[in-house]
Amino acid sequence: MDTRTCGNLLAYVAVAVVTFVVIFSSADVSFSFTTTHSKPEFLIPIVQLRTKFNFNPQHSDGYMLRQSTLSSPIRKTFIGRRLPELELGRARRAIQRAATVRNLSQLLQNSDVLSGDIYHNPGEFYQSYIEMEKRFKVYVYEEGEVPIVHDGPCKDIYTIEGRFIEEMEQDHHFRAKDAHKAHVYFMPFSVTWMVRYLYKPNSYDITPLQHFVSDYVRTISTKHPFWNTTHAADHFMLSCHDWGPHASKGNLNLYNSSIRVLCNANSSEGFDPQKDVSLPEINLRNGKMPANLLSPPPPSSPRPHLAFFAGGVHGPIRPILLNQWKGQDPDLQVHDYLPKGLDYYSFMLASKYCLCPSGYEVASPRIVEAVYSECVPVIISDHYVLPFSDVLRWEAFSIQVKVSEIGELKRILTSVPENEYLRLKENLRAVRRHFVLNQPAERFDVFHMILHSVWLRRLNLKVE
């Protein structure tokens, strides 16, 4: 695999994946965003979206202690933690007010434009995003050495892992210099580089990864007070490698309590959408998006193929798709690998729908590639929590097909009315900017959407 380095990204937290709930009182504020899941049969119950965490520096009711009784380091942490909580309270109240605004133009600032159809609630999302820009501070732990810490891959299928770490390391807006003023704490290690440098090929032994994570957590929790203050509930890691969830098992609080930002967002394998964040998988083979995807053809250009897929036969879903449709119908261009001389991205740009079945793991870079090519994604997966589904209405720009319905693909796609297809395609153009990987990052792009997902989960944790 051709990779390179970039150079220097609760069972307690509750974030719903069904309905945006706003619960406020005059003195106490709590809220969260609505989302839909990629599979209609997989729903998370509506919950009250706040977990209160008592500040407990002495393993007793430390929150009730007089400040004068606290030791100096703990007292500094105690006092400092109050300031971020006050800011979060103000943000929650501002979002509550925005939730009642019917005319989005009353909220938009600085010539910002939003397409309301792609969001569960555009006013709530926009105000939350503005509050994030205004207030959110992330402390990046400085412990650790490159390449495994403070670095990551910037090419190929794990691109997003290295690019986020790089952007966070260089950021001057969100990065907090004073750890006591931070809302969340980022552990900038790369699971991909752990696999590259610590894993013994073909051993299938991932304990070296877990040992590294365990040692890293021991270091930061011994040197700093923040991990123990919340048992990691306001800490986050980010990994696009398939083994990211397994590496996080190196520490129980990391696995159970922290915000894990993962491409492998499989709810049947421990991914908890109430606290974890689904990370979009972006494959930059040469470090850049293919040029023809950067400038897709005009909306009126013909797309002769109804649907397209080409990819390796792995995982439980793709063999079903290929057995049913490979070479069976010229309208559905389904291949394992394209014959030599045919261009993968040209097929995407010439197709109305792009089939996105899961492979070994639930995530697929085809989804983002489909968004870029304005080819409506047809998501075929089990237990996949889609990226940014806390704010985005995936049904507004994609189609979700059950594995049991693969044999009905042509009927399902041809039954979509033309005006509905055009609406899906128009919404793809609107949502595209949320999946663009800019360097440096730009407002509303994928870097900021990842941060916003972390911001949401922090908003729903109240440290008392």
Coordinates of all heavy atoms in Angstrom, one line a residue, residues 34-75:
T34 N -31.4 15.2 15.8 CA -32.1 14.1 15.2 C -31.2 13.4 14.2 O -30.5 14.0 13.5 CB -33.2 14.5 14.4 OG1 -33.9 15.5 15.2 CG2 -34.1 13.4 14.0
T35 N -31.3 12.1 14.1 CA -30.6 11.5 13.0 C -31.5 10.3 12.6 O -32.4 9.8 13.3 CB -29.3 10.9 13.4 OG1 -29.4 9.8 14.2 CG2 -28.4 11.9 14.1
T36 N -31.2 9.8 11.4 CA -31.8 8.5 11.0 C -30.7 7.6 10.7 O -29.6 8.0 10.4 CB -32.6 8.7 9.7 OG1 -31.7 9.2 8.7 CG2 -33.8 9.6 9.8
H37 N -30.9 6.3 10.9 CA -29.9 5.4 10.6 C -29.9 4.9 9.2 O -30.9 5.1 8.5 CB -30.1 4.2 11.6 CG -28.9 3.3 11.6 ND1 -28.7 2.3 10.8 CD2 -27.7 3.4 12.4 CE1 -27.6 1.7 11.1 NE2 -26.9 2.3 12.0
S38 N -28.8 4.3 8.8 CA -28.7 3.8 7.4 C -29.7 2.7 7.1 O -30.0 2.5 6.0 CB -27.3 3.4 7.1 OG -27.0 2.3 8.0
K39 N -30.1 2.0 8.1 CA -31.0 0.9 7.9 C -32.4 1.2 8.6 O -32.4 1.4 9.8 CB -30.5 -0.4 8.4 CG -29.2 -0.9 7.7 CD -29.4 -1.1 6.2 CE -30.3 -2.3 6.0 NZ -30.5 -2.6 4.6
P40 N -33.5 1.2 7.9 CA -34.7 1.6 8.5 C -35.1 0.7 9.7 O -35.8 1.2 10.6 CB -35.7 1.4 7.3 CG -34.9 1.5 6.1 CD -33.6 1.0 6.4
E41 N -34.7 -0.6 9.7 CA -35.1 -1.4 10.8 C -34.2 -1.2 12.0 O -34.5 -1.8 13.1 CB -35.0 -2.9 10.4 CG -33.6 -3.4 10.2 CD -33.0 -3.2 8.8 OE1 -33.6 -2.4 8.1 OE2 -32.0 -3.8 8.4
F42 N -33.2 -0.4 11.9 CA -32.3 -0.2 13.1 C -32.6 1.2 13.6 O -32.2 2.2 13.0 CB -30.8 -0.3 12.7 CG -29.9 0.0 13.8 CD1 -29.7 -1.0 14.8 CD2 -29.2 1.2 13.9 CE1 -28.8 -0.7 15.9 CE2 -28.3 1.4 14.9 CZ -28.2 0.5 15.9
L43 N -33.2 1.3 14.8 CA -33.6 2.6 15.3 C -33.1 2.6 16.8 O -33.2 1.6 17.5 CB -35.1 2.8 15.3 CG -35.7 2.9 13.9 CD1 -37.2 3.0 14.0 CD2 -35.1 4.0 13.1
I44 N -32.7 3.8 17.2 CA -32.3 4.0 18.6 C -33.4 4.8 19.3 O -33.9 5.8 18.7 CB -31.0 4.8 18.7 CG1 -29.9 3.9 18.2 CG2 -30.7 5.2 20.1 CD1 -28.5 4.6 18.2
P45 N -33.9 4.3 20.4 CA -35.0 5.0 21.1 C -34.7 6.5 21.4 O -33.5 6.8 21.6 CB -35.2 4.2 22.4 CG -34.6 2.9 22.1 CD -33.5 3.2 21.2
I46 N -35.7 7.3 21.4 CA -35.5 8.7 21.8 C -35.1 8.7 23.2 O -35.7 8.1 24.1 CB -36.8 9.5 21.5 CG1 -37.2 9.5 20.1 CG2 -36.7 10.9 22.0 CD1 -38.5 10.1 19.8
V47 N -34.1 9.5 23.5 CA -33.6 9.6 24.9 C -33.4 11.0 25.3 O -33.3 11.9 24.4 CB -32.3 8.8 25.1 CG1 -32.4 7.4 24.9 CG2 -31.2 9.4 24.2
Q48 N -33.4 11.3 26.6 CA -33.0 12.6 27.0 C -31.5 12.7 26.9 O -30.8 11.9 27.4 CB -33.4 12.9 28.5 CG -33.0 14.2 29.0 CD -33.6 14.5 30.4 OE1 -34.6 14.0 30.7 NE2 -32.9 15.3 31.2
L49 N -31.1 13.8 26.2 CA -29.7 13.8 25.7 C -28.8 14.6 26.6 O -28.2 15.5 26.2 CB -29.7 14.3 24.3 CG -30.6 13.4 23.4 CD1 -30.6 14.0 22.0 CD2 -30.1 12.0 23.4
R50 N -28.7 14.2 27.8 CA -27.6 14.8 28.7 C -27.2 13.8 29.7 O -28.1 13.2 30.4 CB -28.1 16.0 29.3 CG -26.9 16.7 30.1 CD -27.4 17.9 31.0 NE -28.3 17.4 32.0 CZ -29.6 17.8 32.2 NH1 -30.1 18.7 31.3 NH2 -30.3 17.3 33.1
T51 N -26.0 13.6 29.9 CA -25.5 12.8 31.1 C -24.8 13.8 32.0 O -23.9 14.5 31.6 CB -24.5 11.7 30.6 OG1 -25.2 10.7 29.9 CG2 -23.9 11.0 31.8
K52 N -25.2 13.8 33.2 CA -24.5 14.6 34.2 C -23.4 13.9 34.8 O -23.5 12.7 35.2 CB -25.5 15.1 35.3 CG -26.6 16.0 34.9 CD -27.4 16.5 36.0 CE -28.5 17.4 35.6 NZ -29.4 17.9 36.7
F53 N -22.2 14.5 34.8 CA -21.1 13.9 35.4 C -20.6 14.7 36.6 O -20.2 15.9 36.5 CB -19.9 13.7 34.4 CG -18.8 12.9 35.0 CD1 -18.8 11.5 34.7 CD2 -17.8 13.4 35.7 CE1 -17.8 10.7 35.2 CE2 -16.8 12.7 36.3 CZ -16.8 11.3 36.0
N54 N -20.7 14.2 37.8 CA -20.2 14.9 39.0 C -18.7 15.0 39.1 O -18.0 14.0 39.0 CB -20.8 14.2 40.3 CG -22.3 14.4 40.4 OD1 -22.8 15.4 40.0 ND2 -22.9 13.4 41.0
F55 N -18.2 16.2 39.2 CA -16.8 16.4 39.4 C -16.4 15.8 40.7 O -17.0 16.2 41.8 CB -16.5 17.9 39.3 CG -15.0 18.2 39.6 CD1 -14.2 18.1 38.5 CD2 -14.6 18.6 40.8 CE1 -12.8 18.4 38.7 CE2 -13.2 18.9 41.0 CZ -12.4 18.8 40.0
N56 N -15.5 14.9 40.7 CA -15.3 14.1 42.0 C -13.8 13.9 42.2 O -13.3 12.8 42.0 CB -16.0 12.7 41.8 CG -16.0 12.0 43.1 OD1 -15.7 12.5 44.2 ND2 -16.4 10.7 43.1
P57 N -13.1 14.9 42.5 CA -11.6 14.8 42.6 C -11.1 14.0 43.7 O -10.0 13.5 43.7 CB -11.2 16.3 42.8 CG -12.3 17.0 43.4 CD -13.6 16.3 42.9
Q58 N -11.9 13.7 44.8 CA -11.4 12.9 45.9 C -12.3 11.7 46.1 O -12.4 11.1 47.2 CB -11.5 13.8 47.1 CG -10.5 15.0 47.0 CD -10.4 15.8 48.3 OE1 -11.0 15.4 49.3 NE2 -9.6 16.8 48.3
H59 N -12.9 11.2 45.0 CA -13.7 10.0 45.0 C -14.8 10.0 46.1 O -15.1 9.1 46.8 CB -12.8 8.8 45.2 CG -11.7 8.6 44.2 ND1 -12.0 8.2 42.9 CD2 -10.4 8.9 44.3 CE1 -10.9 8.2 42.2 NE2 -9.9 8.6 43.0
S60 N -15.3 11.2 46.3 CA -16.4 11.5 47.2 C -17.2 12.5 46.6 O -17.1 12.8 45.4 CB -15.9 11.9 48.6 OG -15.2 13.1 48.5
D61 N -18.0 13.2 47.3 CA -18.8 14.3 46.7 C -18.0 15.5 46.6 O -18.2 16.6 47.2 CB -20.1 14.6 47.6 CG -21.0 15.4 46.8 OD1 -20.8 15.7 45.6 OD2 -22.0 15.9 47.4
G62 N -16.9 15.4 45.7 CA -16.0 16.5 45.6 C -16.6 17.8 45.1 O -16.1 18.9 45.3
Y63 N -17.7 17.6 44.3 CA -18.3 18.8 43.8 C -18.9 19.7 44.9 O -18.9 20.9 44.7 CB -19.5 18.4 42.9 CG -20.4 19.5 42.4 CD1 -19.8 20.5 41.6 CD2 -21.7 19.5 42.7 CE1 -20.6 21.5 41.1 CE2 -22.5 20.5 42.2 CZ -22.0 21.5 41.4 OH -22.8 22.5 41.0
M64 N -19.2 19.1 46.0 CA -19.8 19.9 47.1 C -18.7 20.5 48.0 O -19.0 21.3 48.9 CB -20.7 19.0 47.9 CG -21.9 18.5 47.1 SD -22.9 19.8 46.3 CE -23.6 20.5 47.8
L65 N -17.4 20.1 47.8 CA -16.4 20.6 48.7 C -16.2 22.1 48.5 O -16.3 22.6 47.4 CB -15.1 19.8 48.4 CG -15.1 18.3 48.8 CD1 -13.8 17.7 48.3 CD2 -15.3 18.1 50.3
R66 N -15.8 22.8 49.6 CA -15.4 24.2 49.4 C -14.1 24.2 48.7 O -13.2 23.4 48.8 CB -15.2 24.8 50.8 CG -16.5 24.9 51.6 CD -16.2 25.1 53.1 NE -15.3 26.3 53.2 CZ -15.7 27.4 53.9 NH1 -16.9 27.5 54.4 NH2 -14.8 28.4 54.0
Q67 N -13.9 25.2 47.8 CA -12.7 25.3 47.0 C -11.5 25.4 47.9 O -10.4 24.8 47.5 CB -12.8 26.6 46.1 CG -13.8 26.4 45.1 CD -13.9 27.7 44.2 OE1 -13.0 28.5 44.3 NE2 -14.9 27.9 43.5
S68 N -11.6 25.9 49.1 CA -10.4 26.1 49.9 C -9.9 24.8 50.5 O -8.7 24.7 50.9 CB -10.7 27.0 51.1 OG -11.8 26.4 51.9
T69 N -10.7 23.7 50.4 CA -10.3 22.4 50.9 C -9.6 21.6 49.9 O -9.0 20.5 50.1 CB -11.5 21.6 51.4 OG1 -12.3 21.2 50.2 CG2 -12.3 22.4 52.4
L70 N -9.5 22.1 48.6 CA -8.9 21.3 47.5 C -7.4 21.6 47.4 O -7.0 22.8 47.7 CB -9.6 21.7 46.2 CG -11.1 21.4 46.1 CD1 -11.6 21.8 44.7 CD2 -11.4 19.9 46.3
S71 N -6.7 20.6 47.1 CA -5.3 20.9 46.8 C -5.1 21.8 45.6 O -6.0 21.9 44.8 CB -4.5 19.5 46.6 OG -5.0 18.9 45.4
S72 N -4.0 22.4 45.4 CA -3.8 23.4 44.4 C -4.1 22.9 43.0 O -4.8 23.5 42.2 CB -2.4 24.0 44.5 OG -2.2 24.9 43.5
P73 N -3.5 21.7 42.5 CA -3.8 21.3 41.2 C -5.2 20.9 41.0 O -5.8 21.2 40.0 CB -2.9 20.0 41.0 CG -1.8 20.1 42.1 CD -2.5 20.9 43.2
I74 N -5.8 20.3 42.0 CA -7.3 19.9 41.9 C -8.1 21.1 41.9 O -9.1 21.3 41.2 CB -7.6 18.9 43.0 CG1 -6.9 17.6 42.8 CG2 -9.1 18.7 43.0 CD1 -7.2 16.6 43.9
R75 N -7.8 22.1 42.8 CA -8.5 23.3 42.8 C -8.5 24.0 41.5 O -9.5 24.5 41.0 CB -8.0 24.2 43.9 CG -8.7 25.6 44.0 CD -8.1 26.4 45.1 NE -8.8 27.7 45.1 CZ -8.6 28.7 46.0 NH1 -7.6 28.5 46.9 NH2 -9.2 29.8 46.0

